[in-house]
């Protein structure tokens, strides 16, 4: 098959900035591996041009898009339909274009869940501590609340944690705790939690010596999921491993959100291992 033909279906990602995205290498490698006539491109779209970018999806008949910072929430009014979980979450990261009808999905949320499920971890009925109250926390809080999880949200800015907890508890009619992210609250919340999820940017490149949780609070039997994927092994994950906890890297969530988007656009199962290898290679070249 020639690389690009008149029949090639075009997908891509919109965001600003966009140059550090791992998605083009993951998707293009996956299309090639499956021998399907698709291509995936990065598009830098400024906030004030978002409406025109969505009009462009229709006008140019793109097959689908990933959507990243800063457009995950503000793009919603421009779409025709939302998947029910995306609707509850109020943020999307994937669009599929079916003959001009644009549907939004949140595969960050379902990708997070898949990364747990593939390790045999069923969140139903468990207690989960989530650090952070930004966009990523929102997607994860909603997907976990939908699965009947007891949630505590800890954030540096308490008001943001309270707002998110309020929204989740309203939608799912269950109590959600909101606390300030400090050592005392962490110690208390972690005493009764099976799973810890870091959605803050603490520990992310170039803050690689940072960690949101003192090592002494990490212990055997806990599951520690850091959604940061650069570096792949953050200080939090290293210290959790040393304490005997089970660890999951943000790389798994990154690959799963991509794999789920791939399935939505192509109808085919994504080659997960290949996408993961490509993301690791791209991350090694980044730093
Ligand atoms: P995302 O969409 O990736 O979740 P975001 O909306 O910018 O990004 O959220 C970043 C999260 O990291 C927030 O919870 C932020 O805490 P605040 O709401 O208090 O700002 C958290 N965060 C960033 N830097 C932090 C730091 N140095 N210490 C603790 N939390 C931090």
């Amino acid at each position: 098959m020639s690389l690009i033909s008149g029949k090639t279906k075009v997908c891509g990602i919109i965001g600003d900035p966009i140059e550090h995205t791992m998605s083009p290498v993951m998707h293009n490698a996956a299309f090639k591996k499956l021998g399907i006539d698709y291509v995936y491109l990065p598009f830098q779209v400024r906030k004030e041009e978002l409406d025109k970018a969505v009009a462009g999806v229709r006008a140019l008949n793109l097959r689908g898009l990933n959507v990243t910072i800063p457009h995950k929430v503000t793009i919603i009014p421009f779409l025709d339909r939302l998947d029910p979980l995306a609707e509850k979450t109020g943020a999307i990261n994937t669009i599929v274009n079916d003959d001009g009808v644009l549907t939004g999905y949140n595969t960050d949320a379902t990708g997070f869940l898949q990364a747990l499920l593939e390790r045999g971890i069923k969140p139903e009925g468990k207690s989960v501590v989530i650090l952070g109250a930004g966009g990523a926390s929102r997607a994860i809080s909603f997907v976990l609340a939908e699965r009947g999880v007891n949630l505590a949200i800890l954030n540096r800015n308490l008001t943001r944690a309270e707002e998110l907890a309020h929204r989740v508890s309203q939608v799912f009619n269950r109590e959600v705790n909101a606390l300030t992210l400090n050592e005392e609250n962490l110690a208390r919340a972690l005493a009764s939690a099976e799973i810890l999820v870091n959605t803050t940017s603490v520990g992310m490149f170039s803050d690689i010596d940072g960690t949101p949780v003192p090592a002494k609070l990490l212990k055997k039997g806990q599951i520690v999921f850091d959604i940061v994927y650069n570096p792949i092994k953050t200080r939090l994950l290293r210290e959790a491993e040393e304490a005997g906890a089970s660890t999951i890297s943000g790389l798994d969530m990154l690959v799963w959100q991509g794999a789920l988007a791939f399935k939505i656009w192509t109808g085919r199962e994504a080659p997960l291992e290949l996408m993961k290898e490509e993301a690791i290679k791209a991350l090694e070249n980044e730093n």
Side-chain angles (χ1 to χ4, degrees):
M1 191 190 354
S2 66
L3 200 55
I4 294 178
S5 75
K7 298 194 185 97
T8 303
K9 293 192 169 68
V10 180
C11 297
I13 180 163
I14 59 170
D16 188 20
I18 204 63
E19 57 265 35
H20 299 291
T21 175
M22 300 294 136
S23 295
V25 294
M26 287 198 296
H27 285 286
N28 286 315
F31 295 146
K32 192 168 163 204
K33 164 111 182 182
L34 268 61
I36 53 179
D37 198 2
Y38 283 72
V39 68
Y40 187 105
L41 302 167
F43 299 106
Q44 183 183 17
V45 173
R46 285 183 284 121
K47 274 185 184 168
E48 54 278 19
E49 307 275 15
L50 185 60
D51 55 338
K52 295 193 196 108
V54 180
V57 174
R58 299 177 199 275
L60 300 172
N61 194 30
L62 305 189
R63 172 59 179 152
L65 283 183
N66 280 136
V67 179
T68 189
I69 293 164
H71 307 309
K72 289 184 181 192
V73 174
T74 48
I75 199 163
I76 285 180
F78 302 118
L79 305 180
D80 301 305
R81 288 197 221 145
L82 288 179
D83 160 75
L85 177 65
E87 179 146 27
K88 288 187 188 119
T89 311
I92 64 116
N93 77 321
T94 301
I95 299 171
V96 64
N97 176 6
D98 291 307
D99 299 322
V101 179
L102 304 187
T103 307
Y105 293 84
N106 193 317
T107 73
D108 289 328
T110 45
F112 171 85
L113 190 62
Q114 282 300 327
L116 282 181
L117 295 176
E118 78 170 337
R119 304 288 185 103
I121 302 162
K122 295 197 181 68
E124 282 82 357
K126 294 207 164 57
S127 291
V128 179
V129 171
I130 301 184
L131 313 181
S137 173
R138 179 148 109 177
I140 290 167
S141 302
F142 274 77
V143 83
L144 288 177
E146 194 178 43
R147 292 272 171 148
V149 161
N150 301 312
L151 286 178
I153 300 169
L154 279 67
N155 196 45
R156 180 176 59 179
N157 174 335
L158 179 62
T159 309
R160 279 186 99 189
E162 284 172 342
E163 279 165 8
L164 177 56
H166 181 68
R167 188 140 183 240
V168 177
S169 60
Q170 273 194 324
V171 172
F172 295 100
N173 195 21
R174 57 186 305 124
E175 200 186 325
V176 179
N177 289 320
L179 297 160
T180 305
L181 176 53
N182 60 32
E183 190 171 331
E184 191 191 340
N185 286 336
L186 268 173
R188 207 163 348 127
L190 287 175
S192 59
E194 287 112 321
I195 304 177
L196 166 68
V197 184
N198 174 46
T199 77
T200 75
S201 49
V202 180
M204 189 190 291
F205 187 81
S206 55
D207 171 34
I208 58 170
D209 294 326
T211 179
V213 183
K216 63 180 178 199
L217 298 181
L218 301 168
K219 51 181 190 271
K220 203 172 153 75
Q222 277 171 342
I223 296 157
V224 179
F225 195 146
D226 195 340
I227 74 157
V228 171
Y229 59 81
N230 187 9
I232 295 169
K233 192 179 280 184
T234 57
R235 180 175 165 193
L236 172 64
L237 291 189
R238 201 175 63 239
E239 292 179 342
E241 217 173 77
E242 285 162 9
S246 306
T247 60
I248 309 177
S249 163
L251 183 68
D252 289 12
M253 176 171 162
L254 173 75
V255 172
W256 269 110
Q257 66 72 31
L260 294 166
F262 185 96
K263 174 102 195 256
I264 290 168
W265 300 325
T266 67
R268 303 279 298 265
E269 295 300 331
L272 271 168
E273 275 311 308
L274 173 75
M275 290 172 86
K276 191 165 180 171
E277 283 163 24
E278 292 295 326
I280 292 170
K281 267 195 263 166
L283 279 165
E284 282 166 357
N285 289 333
E286 264 287 290
N287 302 333

